[in-house]
Amino acid sequence: SSVGEKKFVSVPPPEDPFTMTEAKPVNPHVAQTCTAGPIGLGAFGITTILLNFLNADLIGKESITLIICYGMFHGGMIQVLAGMWECYRGNIFGACAFTSYGGFWMGFALFEILMVITELAPPAKDGKVVWLCVWGVFTSLMFVGTLNANRVVQFVFASLALLFFLLALGVHNTDIHIIAGYVGIICGASAMYLGWAEVMNEVSEIR
């Protein structure tokens, strides 16, 4: 888009960074339903930044309790709700992305809580590597689905895939784990920007 249009990111119509093709409304109310993209992106971005401040060793490990509780609801539940919202709008990509990563956050939070309140043994390092690599592969496949989207969407998924693979390598190497934390902060910040830009685009159109 041109400078004169005052667009913050180049988003092809409809104005939804996670809609690759025109949605097919299943009822007359869908056309008037706003996108849940900024809601899901904000939830994903903020919680990703918080967790990766911890991974980058920039804050104390005692902060994990705050991050996990916040992540379960904002990063988890809010993203799942945003995904269901996008499903209602007929946006399969946004629905798949938000519900999947929302489920990731809820599962991760539950695991961390169970580790504290039960006598579960810590997971084997090899199991943790496989878990992170599977999410890295899933995210890489989702990245392929963004190739027709704007560059910011592509960057979010590319950096997220890189984050998962670096975290997998970081299971056996502390230095790589810290590097992954910085990548995660950048990934989360880009998601926050994308959500904010979508809101600003909408506001500028209303004006």
Side-chain angles (χ1 to χ4, degrees):
S1 60
S2 65
V3 175
E5 292 176 339
K6 297 182 181 179
K7 293 290 184 179
F8 292 86
V9 292
S10 177
V11 182
E15 289 293 325
D16 182 350
F18 284 137
T19 302
M20 306 309 161
T21 58
E22 281 284 350
K24 297 179 180 179
V26 295
N27 66 62
H29 301 292
V30 174
Q32 281 73 46
T33 303
C34 70
T35 174
I39 300 170
L41 287 164
F44 169 81
I46 292 172
T47 47
T48 299
I49 289 172
L50 290 175
L51 179 61
N52 283 286
F53 262 92
L54 187 65
N55 288 335
D57 204 23
L58 296 174
I59 56 177
K61 296 190 181 299
E62 299 81 7
S63 304
I64 187 65
T65 51
L66 172 63
I67 294 170
I68 289 303
C69 291
Y70 184 77
M72 174 175 281
F73 288 95
H74 197 206
M77 184 180 72
I78 296 301
Q79 276 202 88
V80 170
L81 290 174
M84 294 298 96
W85 193 330
E86 288 301 292
C87 188
Y88 171 76
R89 296 181 66 246
N91 179 3
I92 186 60
F93 186 90
C96 182
F98 289 135
T99 54
S100 296
Y101 296 116
F104 169 88
W105 263 104
M106 295 179 79
F108 177 66
L110 177 61
F111 171 76
E112 291 290 335
I113 292 170
L114 290 177
M115 288 292 294
V116 173
I117 66 175
T118 69
E119 297 182 357
L120 285 176
K125 287 189 174 182
D126 289 345
K128 196 171 181 180
V129 169
V130 170
W131 169 61
L132 290 165
C133 284
V134 168
W135 276 100
V137 170
F138 170 77
T139 305
S140 298
L141 294 174
M142 294 296 286
F143 166 73
V144 174
T146 69
L147 295 180
N148 290 328
N150 68 76
R151 294 291 183 265
V152 184
V153 178
Q154 293 174 14
F155 182 83
V156 170
F157 280 89
S159 59
L160 181 58
L162 177 61
L163 171 61
F164 278 122
F165 289 125
L166 285 175
L167 287 172
L169 292 172
V171 170
H172 297 288
N173 188 302
T174 303
D175 291 336
I176 295 178
H177 183 82
I178 291 174
I179 292 171
Y182 285 100
V183 171
I185 292 170
I186 294 170
C187 174
S190 65
M192 283 184 61
Y193 167 76
L194 183 60
W196 169 80
E198 181 71 8
V199 172
M200 292 300 102
N201 285 349
E202 185 80 13
V203 169
S204 66
E205 287 182 359
I206 293 174
R207 289 176 182 174

